[in-house]
Each structure stands twice: as structure tokens, then as C-alpha cells.
Amino acid sequence: MSMLIPPLILMLAILSCKGGRYRRFIEWGPDLAPGSFCSSRQCCPGRDDSCTVEILGSVCYCDVFCNRTANDCCPDYYVTCQDVAPVTIASCRFYGKDYDPGIVIRDNCNLCTCSLVQLFRYDWVCSNNTCLIDVQRFNQTSETLGWQAANYTRFWNKTFTDGIKEHVGIATESKAQNMSSVQRKLQSDLPTFFDSRNKWTSWIHPVRDQRNCASSWAFSTVDVAADRLSIESRGLLTNQLSPQHLLSCNRRRGQRGCEGGSVEKAWWFIKRKGIMTEECYPYYGGNTTAADQKCLANMETCPNANSSTAKIVLYVTPTYRVGENEEEIKSEIYKRGPVQATMRVPADFFMYQSGVYRHTGAEVGQSELAVRVVGWGEDADENGRKRKYWICLNSWGTKWGEKGAFRMVRGENHLGIEGNILAVHADMKRSLATHPSEGIRDEGLINIYTNKQIVVIKRPRPTAQP
Ligand SMILES: *[C@@H]1O[C@H](CO)[C@@H](O)[C@H](O)[C@H]1NC(C)=O
Ligand SMILES: *[C@@H]1O[C@H](CO)[C@@H](O)[C@H](O)[C@H]1NC(C)=O
Ligand SMILES: *[C@@H]1O[C@H](CO)[C@@H](O)[C@H](O)[C@H]1NC(C)=O
Ligand SMILES: *[C@@H]1O[C@H](CO)[C@@H](O)[C@H](O)[C@H]1NC(C)=O
Ligand SMILES: *[C@@H]1O[C@H](CO)[C@@H](O)[C@H](O)[C@H]1NC(C)=O
Ligand SMILES: *[C@@H]1O[C@H](CO)[C@@H](O)[C@H](O)[C@H]1NC(C)=O
Ligand SMILES: *[C@@H]1O[C@H](CO)[C@@H](O)[C@H](O)[C@H]1NC(C)=O
């Protein structure tokens, strides 16, 4: 701890010529113990070249022209003449522990070096990255934020840049912005609160974890597809679907797997090629990069040799865009099930734990997150003002947010959440035609149990060729 090095090291003596003032001086380390130099003489106002004291065979200065950068001020100049308390210990402190000069430590997502910041003063000099867990914002009360923040271990130490790279997923704005929206009759008398998970229960697929892979584009797409297939087949086709199929096989035209992709291209892929089930083609989550890239969908059997189901491929119809209007979006969800939305991601979003999320001024990233919107509601803030929200499902696991869900300010297109709402219908005909289950494929009328009710499904009749 004691860094008081005896004043042995005469580092160098140089001749300095500045403004006609000739001065021979010695540089001494700032860790030199302060003695009585200026205090044994006197401090000189203005410039006084004779205002010196002997030190280590040379002189040091006590006039206000002494130069702290060149270390020609006497060691006690600041404490005696400027009334500035010197820090005589050459070290930096971090959480009660002292570190030597030159030591590099990590403070959250920044690296800090213990450096000489001015004569007699060492301090940390840190990089200035935006961190996912912003300690200052984290300390703000939920009254200030309007929602509760949490310190997630998986996001601690991470920069916003890495957070976007590893956990978000749409590199560019989706082209679907220009897709025309469908005109539908609006449902009137919608309830003030609605959650698809209550209405359709097990047909709404659970929140998953994309882990360190920017694959929200794939997760939200296959999960909306799975929800819609379940709802429209009345519980016949409820399989969880495979984001890995998209990550590995939908790779051309700028689709970059764990480095991001476009939701519109993902939908287009499922419409054309279909999508396999999660069990059949399980998620690698960017852990095995080789397996990540190789498309295994063209085999007769499942890529997962242990799969208990046969290879099932399900299809959807072309994507449609729902108008950027609260009532239209609500009506769509209420009648037909979850929709997909994309939003810009601010740094503070990573800390969201509960409440109605609103961006608080933290840095906002370029890339977008794709999520499922499953419902809406409203509550009151601390001042009793009404707050409308969407219920959205993220793909950051169930430990994040409200069991994997978050509530987002509704009706303001906050962060673009209402600007790009996409949905699809199940392509029942193609999905059933290729379904390997005899029971499902061949029977015209199928009785199955879902949620303890018998659901009768009529197999769609083949349509006549025009
Ligand atoms: C202080 O000394 C440094 C290093 O010798 C020199 O670069 C700088 O110009 C000096 N500043 C003044 C005000 O003399
Ligand atoms: C660090 O970055 C923030 C935001 O980008 C900026 O306001 C601040 O001035 C920077 N601080 C330093 C020491 O560069
Ligand atoms: C945050 O709060 C903790 C405990 O209340 C406190 O020790 C810490 O200094 C605060 N940090 C900031 C940056 O305000
Ligand atoms: C956040 O969590 C990490 C790891 O769990 C911990 O090291 C860190 O001190 C925490 N930060 C705050 C501000 O609580
Ligand atoms: C943060 O980074 C430091 C240094 O790399 C490491 O020792 C520590 O375990 C990390 N903490 C978390 C929570 O990842
Ligand atoms: C969308 O349409 C606008 C104007 O209608 C046009 O400027 C823009 O380039 C289009 N974007 C794409 C991706 O096609
Ligand atoms: C299949 O199961 C066997 C035995 O349980 C196991 O060793 C193997 O790793 C599994 N393979 C896959 C691809 O999960």
C-alpha cells in the first residue's frame, strides 16, 4: 500500500527554454514525500524566477508560474501555496481497495487505468462505453423511471454495442414498412385488458431464450407462426417451431443467422419452404458455429436423431401488415392471435424488470428487436394518470422482465412498436398435406383433445383447379 518511494530517482535533468525564462530543474516523482520547501520560504505571487528552494541538487519553484506538468513546482507547493491537499499515496482506490499506478481494472463494461491525472494525484482513467447495466440509472427510483430496473448478471460487464450485437437481431429496417396494410372491419367493444395467453392458453407458445445470438428475428417469426397455426388449426398443429431452421437455412439475401436478419425475409422463407419443429431441428443458440451455418433441413429425417416425432414441416400464407393504429392492432390480436412487432432498442431496455416500459433518455441503438405482441391493458402511474400498454413477449428467457414478457407504452408508436406490425395465416392445406401423421393426414374428421375439450377439425377439401 505504501508507495512512498525514497527520493532517489533523479529521472532527468533538462534545460527548458520558455518565454525567456531559463531554468534548470529536475523532474522528481510525484510520490516524493512532501517536505518543507515552500513552507520554509514563502509563496510568490506572479512570476518570480528567484522564488526557488533547493531540492535534490537542483531547485524547485514556489511562484505561481511553476509548471506542474514538468514537475518543477516544489513538492509542497499545492498544499502550502494553493491550499490544495496533496494525495501523497501513489495509488487508486476502487471499492475500498488500493491499486498501483498502471494497474488496469474493469468497472462494469469499462476498463480503467490507474494514472497520474495531475501532480500528486492518481485516479482512474476509464473508457467511456455505454453499459447495459447503467449504475446511475439503476439507482433511480421506479417513480423516476416509471418502471423497475434490475441488474441482470448476463448483462453485467457488457457494453451496449455488445448487447445489441448479441441479443437483438434486425440489422436493417424491415422492408415491410412499405407493404400495404390490410383493411379489416374493426372489432368494437374490445375489453380494456386482453391477453392471448388467457384466451388461447397452451396454444400461445412459451417465452424462449435466444441466448448470445442476435436471433430475435427468427424467434418472433416462428413463435408467431406457431401461435397462429395452433389457433387456426384449433389445436391440431401445436408444435413449437424451429428458429434454428431459419438461422441455418435462411441465409442468403443478407440473412446472417446469429448476426441478425430481416423478419420479412424469414416469413417469405416459411411460406415457400415451410418450417420444421423445434424438436426435430433444435436450437444451437450460436454455441456451435459450424452447426449453426450448415443447413440440415433437406434430409429425410430430423437433424435431431433422437427426435420422437417424424419430420413435420408447417407452412404459412403471405405476410400481411396491420395498420399503424392502436384499434386495428388490438382488433387483429383479439380476433386472430399474436402479431409480430419490431422496435428500436435503447440501452436501458436491457435493465427492464417490470412495469410499463418507456425509454428514459438512454442511448438508442440502430438495430431493432422483433417481439410478439399478445395483448394490451392499462394501469395508473404514481400520479394516478392512466397508462396504456401492450403486452409483448421477448426472447431473452423467462428470468428477464415479467417472466419473459414486457409491457410497453401503447398508442404513441413508442420506439416504433406500432409501425411495423406483421401477421400471417396458417397454410392449413399445405401443412396438413405434408403432415407425416396418418391420423392427421388421412382422416377427414379428426377428434382431438385440447384443454380438456374435444375439438372437431374438418380437413380442408382440396380446392378445384381453376
Ligand atoms: C510545462 O512543461 C511541459 C513539459 O516540459 C511543457 O510541455 C509545457 O509547455 C510547460 N508549460 C508551461 C506553461 O510552461
Ligand atoms: C462519455 O460519453 C457521454 C455520452 O456519450 C458524454 O456525454 C460524456 O461527456 C463522455 N465523457 C467523457 C469523459 O468523455
Ligand atoms: C447507487 O446506490 C448505492 C446504494 O444505495 C450507492 O452505494 C452507490 O454509490 C450509488 N451509485 C451511484 C452511481 O449513484
Ligand atoms: C450487478 O451484478 C453483478 C454480478 O452479479 C455484480 O458484480 C455487480 O456488483 C452488480 N451491480 C450493481 C450495481 O448492483
Ligand atoms: C466481469 O468481468 C470481470 C473481469 O473480466 C470478471 O472477473 C467477472 O467475473 C465478470 N462478472 C460477470 C458477472 O460476468
Ligand atoms: C418505401 O417507400 C418510400 C416512399 O414511398 C421510399 O422512399 C422508400 O425507399 C421505400 N423503402 C423501401 C425499403 O422500399
Ligand atoms: C441422443 O441420445 C443419446 C443417448 O441418450 C445421446 O448420447 C446423444 O448425444 C443424443 N444425440 C442428440 C443429437 O441429442
Side-chain angles (χ1 to χ4, degrees), residues 126 128-130 363:
C126 302
N128 191 22
N129 298 316
T130 303
E363 191 180 330

mmCIF file of all heavy atoms in Angstrom, residues 126 128-130 363, ligand 2:
data_model
loop_
_atom_site.group_PDB
_atom_site.id
_atom_site.type_symbol
_atom_site.label_atom_id
_atom_site.label_comp_id
_atom_site.label_asym_id
_atom_site.label_seq_id
_atom_site.Cartn_x
_atom_site.Cartn_y
_atom_site.Cartn_z
ATOM 1 N N CYS A 126 -10.814 6.052 -17.422
ATOM 2 C CA CYS A 126 -11.644 4.934 -17.904
ATOM 3 C C CYS A 126 -12.103 5.144 -19.342
ATOM 4 O O CYS A 126 -12.258 6.277 -19.787
ATOM 5 C CB CYS A 126 -12.890 4.791 -17.040
ATOM 6 S SG CYS A 126 -12.525 4.529 -15.303
ATOM 7 N N ASN A 128 -15.122 5.097 -22.064
ATOM 8 C CA ASN A 128 -16.432 5.725 -21.860
ATOM 9 C C ASN A 128 -17.518 5.000 -22.653
ATOM 10 O O ASN A 128 -18.229 5.587 -23.445
ATOM 11 C CB ASN A 128 -16.317 7.209 -22.284
ATOM 12 C CG ASN A 128 -17.518 8.036 -21.881
ATOM 13 O OD1 ASN A 128 -18.252 7.673 -20.968
ATOM 14 N ND2 ASN A 128 -17.758 9.138 -22.583
ATOM 15 N N ASN A 129 -17.644 3.687 -22.425
ATOM 16 C CA ASN A 129 -18.696 2.935 -23.129
ATOM 17 C C ASN A 129 -20.019 3.051 -22.393
ATOM 18 O O ASN A 129 -20.044 3.120 -21.172
ATOM 19 C CB ASN A 129 -18.341 1.443 -23.183
ATOM 20 C CG ASN A 129 -17.063 1.183 -23.948
ATOM 21 O OD1 ASN A 129 -16.863 1.751 -25.008
ATOM 22 N ND2 ASN A 129 -16.220 0.339 -23.407
ATOM 23 N N THR A 130 -21.100 3.022 -23.140
ATOM 24 C CA THR A 130 -22.417 2.888 -22.520
ATOM 25 C C THR A 130 -22.569 1.435 -22.094
ATOM 26 O O THR A 130 -22.341 0.531 -22.885
ATOM 27 C CB THR A 130 -23.523 3.236 -23.533
ATOM 28 O OG1 THR A 130 -23.294 4.557 -24.006
ATOM 29 C CG2 THR A 130 -24.900 3.149 -22.908
ATOM 30 N N GLU A 363 -29.060 5.842 -24.469
ATOM 31 C CA GLU A 363 -28.683 5.712 -25.875
ATOM 32 C C GLU A 363 -29.601 4.712 -26.597
ATOM 33 O O GLU A 363 -29.980 3.697 -26.023
ATOM 34 C CB GLU A 363 -27.232 5.221 -25.932
ATOM 35 C CG GLU A 363 -26.612 5.283 -27.301
ATOM 36 C CD GLU A 363 -25.159 4.790 -27.288
ATOM 37 O OE1 GLU A 363 -24.484 4.939 -26.251
ATOM 38 O OE2 GLU A 363 -24.714 4.272 -28.312
HETATM 39 C C1 LIG B 2 -18.881 9.933 -22.170
HETATM 40 O O1 LIG B 2 -19.959 9.768 -23.077
HETATM 41 C C2 LIG B 2 -21.090 10.552 -22.764
HETATM 42 C C3 LIG B 2 -22.206 10.166 -23.711
HETATM 43 O O2 LIG B 2 -21.733 9.742 -24.931
HETATM 44 C C4 LIG B 2 -20.735 12.028 -22.856
HETATM 45 O O3 LIG B 2 -21.853 12.818 -22.532
HETATM 46 C C5 LIG B 2 -19.590 12.309 -21.874
HETATM 47 O O4 LIG B 2 -19.181 13.648 -21.995
HETATM 48 C C6 LIG B 2 -18.417 11.383 -22.140
HETATM 49 N N1 LIG B 2 -17.437 11.567 -21.088
HETATM 50 C C7 LIG B 2 -16.138 11.623 -21.327
HETATM 51 C C8 LIG B 2 -15.263 11.788 -20.133
HETATM 52 O O5 LIG B 2 -15.684 11.529 -22.456
#
